[in-house]
Every structure is written in C-alpha cells, then in structure tokens.
Amino acid sequence: WVLTVTAQTPTNIAVIKYWGKRDEDLILPINDSISVTLDPDHLCTTTSVAVSPAFTHDRMWLNGKEVSLSGGRYQNCLRELRSRASDVEDEEKGIKITKKDWEKLHVHVVSYNNFPTAAGLASSAAGLACLVFSLAKLMNVKEDHSKLSAIARQGSGSACRSLYGGFVKWIMGKEENGSDSIAVQLADEKHWDDLVIIIAVVSSRQKETSSTSGMRDTVETSMLIKHRAKEVVPKRIIQMEEAIKNRDFPAFARLTCADSNQFHAVCLDTLPPIFYMNDTSHRQEPFFNSSFINVIVPHFYLPIISCVEKWNRHEETPQVAYTFDAGPNAVLISHNRKAAALLLQRLLFYFPPQSDTDLNSYVIGDKTI
Ligand code: DP6
C-alpha cells in the first residue's frame, strides 16, 4: 500500500527582513521579521508526500530532479515530525500505522515550484513550509500552526512565516532551544484585501550568494547589522504592526522601502560585499526628472527603485512600495487595483517584456491564501 498527502503553500515576502542568525543549527534569528503571504495561485510550492512499507529510504524530487534529503536541515525537520507522529488508520485501504511504525517507515517527497527556484523569490520559504505541512498531515502530527512553524523554521528561517496567510510576524524568541522562536499571524488575508502585489521578474537566474552564507558573512563582518538588529528593527516592527492594523498605506510603504534599502545596505557592508540587486533594480537614472508619463527612456536604463520613488513623490500619498529580497526581482505592493493597473501599465511601457534580458515576466498576486 501507499498513503499520500498533497499540499500547496504560497511563498511570503518580508516587509521587515530577517537577516542574520544567532544559532545556525536551530535557525534562530537576530531580529523579528514581518511578511505578507502571497496568493497561492501565483507563487507556490505543491508537494506530495507518500509513505509505503516498500520504500527503503527517504527520497525527494524537486522540480523533477532527485535531490538529497541528507542535509541537516531536512533531517532536523524529519526528526521533529517523526517524534510527534501519531497513529494513522485508513479503513478503506486497510492501512494501520502506529506511532512506533513511523520510526522505521520511509517517505518519498515530490515537490514543484511554479516560479524560479533560488532566484530570490523565497522559494525555500514555500518549499520547506509545504514539506513540513504535508508531512505533518501524513504523519497525523497534532500540533498547531505555531508549533509547526517552529519545525519549518529549522528547514529555512523564512519558511516559518508561510504557514499562515495574511500578515505574519516571526518572533525571534529568547530561549536557547528555540522553543519561543515561532511565527504568529498579525492579520488574516481579508484584513487588507485591496493591496495588490506585483512581482517583476528581473532575472530568473539562480542568485550567486545564498541567503544562508550571505547572512553568515554579514553577521561575522558587518558593524551595520548590529545597529540594525538592536536599534532599527525593534522600532520598525512596532511601527509596521501599527501600520498594518490601521491599514495605513503611507506608513506601510515608507517602512517597507526603508527596510529593503537597509537590508541591501547591510549586504554592501558585508565583507566581501554582497550585491543582490542588478542594474534594472536600482541604477540611478539621471535624466528621468519629469512626470512618468512624458519621459521615454530605453527600458533597460530605468531603475525600478527610482521609478517608484519618483512616482510616490509626484502623488499626494505613496501609491506603491517596493521590496527586494536576496535577488534582483522587484516586489511591488500597490495601494489598490487602480494603482496596480497604472503601475503595471508603466512597467510594461518602460520595461517591455524581453525574451532573455531585463524584465521578462510579471506575476500579479493578491495577498491571500
Ligand atoms: C532576504 O530563510 O532563505 O528573504 O534561514 O538560511 O534558509 P535560511 O535563509 P532564508 O532567508 C531569507 C532572507 C530574506 C529576508 C526574509 O525573508 O525575511
């Protein structure tokens, strides 16, 4: 017999970033972070997990290719889940698995991302959250989402935030064993449902510096990260929670952009410096000094950040927020559908989709689950 479970988990985009660990094995961060979970239709991982007495060892396939499950992170998640597994019974199929059986049984995992893997679009977040969630269902783990988030965290830090929809906070916690380093939902997906998220895929190439090694170098070499973690983020977290609660878009946009820029500043302050954004993301455009509509510039000279900054300054209140994770792809969050439609029109005008250069696709998603 074979017993299977399939689950789908969307990715999340941090608006107050996690960058830096105080414990690498348990994946414990040096600051709290806040994210928004995307609509599962657009950027998500679908994972099927199966168990059978015929399986001789744990195996996993990611996007059609077999990958090793021997890494410490996968093993930590599997160990945590196995130790919490319960009896499973499927009368129709005549299957009975006891809690004890899970120690010996092996699982097969098949996972697909519907977006570029490891290109700074938080693929590990969706992937590990989905792996933990589907295995927890298969193994009848009776823990709530916050406990599962602490398990997903041990697979990839940002994964813990993908177990909830809407706005999510990862509390860094204080305990050495990580038991209080969990994700909590700040507001559900209906709370601020006129927000629209546009992901401008500048490059689907794999990033050169993984988040894991990048943040390790930052913690070891940057002075700025200490100031960020101790002085800046704690205040920003309070302000961001307030902005989300009150659906205050100007405050939300200001904090989101500032935090993205500080995260990339911290990357530059690392030895050797880390560059995650490319020219399309941030190059200054010297002759772009009028309103959006009348200026025609070659698409590859127009930087997304200055585009948005100038548009926001031009309007009475900010219309769009930008944030970049560990890659050049822009995540643009707009106030409402009208602003999103305008933004998209402008993006398509200034960055016409190309086959192999610059911006080549757009993913539009509401923040729902
Ligand atoms: C820039 O969660 O991928 O996206 O914990 O080492 O797996 P590991 O790192 P990961 O880092 C994500 C960093 C970020 C910011 C964020 O999502 O908060």
Side-chain angles (χ1 to χ4, degrees):
W1 53 260
V2 182
L3 196 63
T4 60
V5 166
T6 296
Q8 223 178 34
T9 309
T11 194
N12 71 77
I13 303 291
V15 288
I16 302 291
K17 309 283 185 203
Y18 144 56
W19 196 252
K21 297 183 183 74
R22 62 189 165 93
D23 184 315
E24 288 227 359
D25 295 328
L26 291 170
I27 311 199
L28 300 176
I30 57 170
N31 59 257
D32 292 348
S33 54
I34 294 180
S35 62
V36 51
T37 299
L38 301 189
D39 177 337
D41 290 350
H42 300 285
L43 273 83
C44 77
T45 299
T46 305
T47 299
S48 295
V49 288
V51 63
S52 166
F55 297 163
T56 51
H57 51 288
D58 295 334
R59 295 176 74 180
M60 174 164 172
W61 291 262
L62 175 62
N63 296 327
K65 278 200 191 125
E66 181 154 15
V67 293
S68 164
L69 271 177
S70 63
R73 291 173 166 213
Y74 285 125
Q75 288 305 316
N76 288 349
C77 292
L78 283 166
R79 194 192 53 243
E80 294 276 341
L81 289 163
R82 279 195 169 105
S83 71
R84 291 171 169 80
S86 314
D87 297 354
V88 173
E89 219 177 321
D90 186 326
E91 273 180 23
E92 237 171 69
K93 291 186 179 165
I95 301 172
K96 200 167 178 208
I97 308 171
T98 66
K99 188 173 163 51
K100 208 139 181 44
D101 292 337
W102 284 111
E103 286 164 23
K104 284 173 257 122
L105 284 168
H106 293 283
V107 291
H108 282 186
V109 180
V110 177
S111 201
Y112 278 95
N113 290 331
N114 67 349
F115 57 96
T117 302
L121 286 175
S123 54
S124 65
L128 268 300
C130 203
L131 177 81
V132 167
F133 186 77
S134 49
L135 282 174
K137 286 271 167 265
L138 182 77
M139 296 178 176
N140 196 14
V141 173
K142 291 181 179 128
E143 303 278 18
D144 61 16
H145 272 43
S146 76
K147 288 265 165 51
L148 291 184
S149 81
I151 301 176
R153 187 203 76 226
Q154 295 175 57
S156 178
S158 52
C160 72
R161 298 184 310 233
S162 265
L163 283 165
Y164 295 97
F167 293 91
V168 184
K169 176 173 163 185
W170 174 12
I171 302 167
M172 63 181 280
K174 290 195 169 52
E175 298 296 333
E176 272 186 26
N177 67 4
S179 57
D180 56 351
S181 188
I182 55 167
V184 294
Q185 190 180 51
L186 294 176
D188 72 13
E189 52 280 5
K190 288 184 220 91
H191 170 70
W192 202 352
D193 61 2
D194 45 359
L195 285 191
V196 179
I197 296 180
I198 295 180
I199 303 198
V201 182
V202 171
S203 162
S204 54
R205 249 176 283 145
Q206 289 220 181
K207 58 196 175 198
E208 276 164 34
T209 312
S210 75
S211 305
T212 308
S213 73
M215 67 177 86
R216 180 184 306 134
D217 290 350
T218 302
V219 169
E220 278 169 12
T221 63
S222 166
M223 292 294 281
L224 189 54
I225 190 77
K226 295 181 178 49
H227 172 67
R228 169 175 165 73
K230 281 217 158 60
E231 308 294 332
V232 182
V233 176
K235 291 188 193 110
R236 265 187 199 155
I237 289 279
I238 297 169
Q239 292 166 344
M240 183 57 99
E241 284 191 51
E242 206 51 26
I244 291 168
K245 194 171 102 204
N246 301 326
R247 291 188 285 260
D248 175 353
F249 191 78
F252 175 82
R254 186 177 53 74
L255 291 163
T256 300
C257 298
D259 204 69
S260 170
N261 290 332
Q262 190 180 66
F263 156 54
H264 290 277
V266 153
C267 289
L268 271 182
D269 192 46
T270 299
L271 213 71
I274 310 165
F275 303 89
Y276 282 128
M277 291 190 283
N278 66 15
D279 282 5
T280 311
S281 327
H282 74 169
R283 189 149 91 202
Q284 280 299 319
E285 175 46 59
F287 54 91
F288 184 69
N289 55 10
S290 174
S291 81
F292 263 83
I293 294 128
N294 301 320
V295 184
I296 298 173
V297 289
H299 67 269
F300 43 86
Y301 286 130
L302 194 65
I304 288 175
I305 291 182
S306 75
C307 231
V308 172
E309 290 285 353
K310 276 168 188 158
W311 186 15
N312 282 345
R313 249 175 284 146
H314 190 256
E315 301 290 321
E316 248 164 56
T317 56
Q319 300 296 305
V320 179
Y322 57 80
T323 184
F324 293 80
D325 275 344
N329 300 310
V331 177
L332 300 158
I333 308 176
S334 55
H335 201 18
N336 52 34
R337 289 192 172 271
K338 204 172 135 213
L342 265 175
L343 172 67
L344 197 61
Q345 224 175 45
R346 286 165 188 191
L347 283 172
L348 288 166
F349 180 72
Y350 290 117
F351 305 93
Q354 306 274 307
S355 55
D356 56 354
T357 64
D358 293 305
L359 225 49
N360 49 38
S361 62
Y362 306 88
V363 185
I364 312 168
D366 296 329
K367 45 135 214 45
T368 56
I369 183 170

